[in-house]
Amino acid sequence: MSMIWLLRAGAYAISSFAIWNFFQGSSFGDPSLVKHLALDQGHSMLLGVCAGFSNYTGLDVTLIRLVWALSSFYRGIGIGIYILAFFLMPPS
């Protein structure tokens, strides 16, 4: 039962990032200051999800990959969220 809860929480988190990113793109400010959450396949190791999160948040990509790998060991949650993020994030 907790597995379903964690998958739903991950899906809600990623979808809220996607919705927030959508509304950020339609802001009236300087368009060069708006960051978009998108896949970065130029700096990717697998599909570009971690590199995209790194570009968006400004955190080191190695730290993001480490956290994602550790979350994969907990019942495979990281793998499911990674695949979901790949399908939700647009290519850069």
Side-chain angles (χ1 to χ4, degrees):
M1 192 66 168
S2 65
M3 176 73 166
I4 294 171
W5 181 83
L6 287 173
L7 283 174
R8 290 179 73 185
Y12 290 143
I14 291 174
S15 64
S16 65
F17 278 132
I19 291 169
W20 185 50
N21 188 24
F22 175 76
F23 286 115
Q24 284 271 333
S26 64
S27 66
F28 294 105
D30 185 11
S32 65
L33 298 177
V34 176
K35 292 184 180 180
H36 294 283
L37 181 61
L39 297 173
D40 185 7
Q41 295 173 341
H43 298 100
S44 68
M45 287 185 77
L46 188 59
L47 297 172
V49 174
C50 292
F53 272 106
S54 174
N55 290 340
Y56 186 70
T57 61
L59 295 173
D60 185 30
V61 70
T62 307
L63 178 66
I64 293 175
R65 288 177 179 148
L66 178 67
V67 169
W68 221 298
L70 290 175
S71 68
S72 296
F73 288 118
Y74 182 72
R75 298 184 181 183
I77 293 298
I79 297 169
I81 294 174
Y82 190 90
I83 293 169
L84 185 64
F86 173 72
F87 286 120
L88 291 177
M89 292 170 63
S92 58

